[in-house]
Amino acid sequence: MEEIVLKAGGQIYQGWTKVGVTRSLDAMSGSFDLELTWKWQGSEQQYKKFVEPIRQGQACTVDIGGERVITGYVDDWVPSYDETTVTISVSGRDKTADLVDCSIDYPSGQFNNQTLTQIADVVCKPFGIKVIVNADVGEPFQRIQIEQGETPHELLSRLAKQRGVLLTSDTFGNLVITRASKEKAGASLILGENIKAARGRFSWRQRFSNFTVKAAGAAHGNWDTAPISAVGGIKADVKDSEISRYRPMIIVNEEITTAEGAARRGQWERQRSIGKSNTAEYTVTGWRIPQTGKLWNINTIVPVIDEILELDEEMLILSIMFTEDDAGRLAVISVVRPDAMDIPAQIVKDTKLGGGQW
């Protein structure tokens, strides 16, 4: 059976009795939780032999069968014991966790005529994090003001919403700017065959019939419905045709300066509301796909055939959690509709654009 190997402080640790490794397309950082339990023999030297080298804050990697799944830092080291047993728990996250936790310290406090890639490079550089761009990030932002105490994650997330892209990390701790993939997982999830357990959530709680995005600025657009300029402001209306009753949502974003930007933000809000409201989670035995030998991976397409959850379609893998405990070695796979994470490169024509006073 493949070993889970933690490398930290120049040491190699394996033989874990409980394992949890999570990666998600809509999270900026992957995470791990490892636990080792053994019988206490009353020897302080036996305890120190394993425990002493592990320290919070150490750079670390986690591999599954020689394949990297986490590159980051140890967050927590939690030792405990009783009269008969010693338990060591170690948890941590990708390097990109620092982008989630820490504030931006940038002297000017603003960016002028910079693209999302350029801004990401600047805010990630002090943390030693490389930016990988796998998507078109669009035009430069005219002016972006950093809010007091704002984290890189908060800044880049609000800008990503305006460009319709996703922010995640790879297994080497890099920040990845991407879109929903069309890559095939290489297997299917089928009720009665490889699905060990499942649960779904299908809701209207976060769904709205119309998203109106309002912003100050000139409404410059490429459609006949958008005036060349407007004094008061711009706005875009994006409808969700699946919601049959009146449920409006108004979003004000002062940084948007074009009709295209307002429309893209509206589409982002609609698609993400679909994603949050229509999810399914499947548990399968093992961490690798039997047909390919590869680890299950996020941002890949998997056909799902499940009569109980009424799914018979291709779904996008949003997150993966690899676990191992007394129940065995399992992969928990969260899926969403592919279009829930896919904001088109071009604004759809039926989006209503306008300007003027609002």
Side-chain angles (χ1 to χ4, degrees), residues 1 7 87 144 230 236 256 264 349 351:
M1 183 173 286
K7 297 178 182 178
T87 300
I144 296 298
I256 295 175
R264 191 174 298 281
K349 293 293 184 178
T351 299

Side-chain angles (χ1 to χ4, degrees), residues 23-318:
R23 304 205 64 85
S24 178
L25 181 59
D26 63 352
M28 193 172 276
S29 180
S31 63
F32 69 90
D33 294 278
L34 307 174
E35 183 177 295
L36 177 62
T37 302
W38 77 95
K39 294 296 181 181
W40 172 242
Q41 302 295 326
S43 169
E44 183 181 356
Q45 292 304 314
Q46 179 206 22
Y47 174 74
K48 287 186 175 181
K49 182 179 179 181
F50 182 85
V51 176
E52 194 169 27
I54 300 180
R55 288 291 180 266
Q56 60 274 22
Q58 287 180 328
C60 69
T61 62
V62 179
D63 293 353
I64 295 178
E67 188 170 340
R68 182 65 51 83
V69 290
I70 295 286
T71 302
Y73 303 101
V74 174
D75 280 331
D76 307 297
W77 168 59
V78 185
S80 61
Y81 65 91
D82 58 22
E83 293 179 341
T84 61
T85 305
V86 175
T87 300
I88 301 298
S89 297
V90 182
S91 62
R93 293 170 293 168
D94 278 329
K95 292 168 63 176
T96 46
D98 286 344
L99 304 179
V100 178
D101 299 343
C102 305
S103 297
I104 301 170
D105 185 8
Y106 188 62
S108 70
Q110 66 180 40
F111 296 94
N112 296 309
N113 296 316
Q114 300 285 300
T115 65
L116 176 58
T117 301
Q118 291 171 317
I119 295 172
D121 283 334
V122 170
V123 299
C124 290
K125 185 177 180 180
F127 299 97
I129 294 171
K130 184 179 178 181
V131 179
I132 307 296
V133 182
N134 295 331
D136 179 8
V137 298
E139 297 298 317
F141 294 95
Q142 293 182 13
R143 182 177 180 274
I144 296 298
Q145 183 69 43
I146 301 172
E147 298 176 4
Q148 286 291 330
E150 191 169 32
T151 67
H153 172 261
E154 291 168 339
L155 171 65
L156 298 177
S157 293
R158 62 184 171 96
L159 301 184
K161 294 176 183 180
Q162 299 178 39
R163 293 296 182 261
V165 294
L166 304 171
L167 301 175
T168 188
S169 65
D170 63 16
T171 58
F172 295 94
N174 301 311
L175 175 67
V176 180
I177 301 175
T178 189
R179 292 186 184 276
S181 169
K182 302 295 190 293
E183 181 183 350
K184 304 294 184 179
S188 299
L189 295 171
I190 303 174
L191 175 64
E193 292 189 14
N194 60 346
I195 296 174
K196 186 178 179 68
R199 63 178 179 178
R201 180 179 181 273
F202 308 97
S203 170
W204 270 23
R205 188 181 298 271
Q206 294 178 301
R207 299 286 296 274
F208 301 93
S209 57
N210 188 77
F211 294 86
T212 299
V213 179
K214 296 181 176 183
H220 299 294
N222 297 322
W223 298 270
D224 294 337
T225 53
I228 294 177
S229 63
V231 176
I234 59 175
K235 72 174 183 176
D237 288 292
V238 179
K239 296 187 180 301
D240 185 340
S241 59
E242 295 182 354
I243 305 304
S244 56
R245 72 178 190 265
Y246 180 69
R247 285 179 55 80
M249 169 61 69
I250 297 175
I251 300 160
V252 177
N253 189 326
E254 295 296 337
E255 292 175 343
I256 295 175
T257 57
T258 66
E260 296 96 322
R264 191 174 298 281
R265 173 66 189 274
Q267 287 192 338
W268 188 95
E269 294 289 349
R270 178 186 63 188
Q271 300 305 92
R272 294 309 295 272
S273 73
I274 293 172
K276 292 177 181 177
S277 302
N278 297 277
T279 62
E281 185 180 275
Y282 290 96
T283 301
V284 299
T285 301
W287 294 341
R288 294 187 181 271
I289 301 170
Q291 295 89 331
T292 65
K294 296 180 180 179
L295 291 171
W296 287 96
N297 197 15
I298 60 173
N299 204 15
T300 55
I301 298 293
V302 58
V304 178
I305 302 175
D306 183 350
E307 294 179 358
I308 295 178
L309 298 190
E310 299 181 354
L311 292 175
D312 186 0
E313 58 188 293
E314 289 191 333
M315 303 288 280
L316 182 74
I317 297 179
L318 179 66

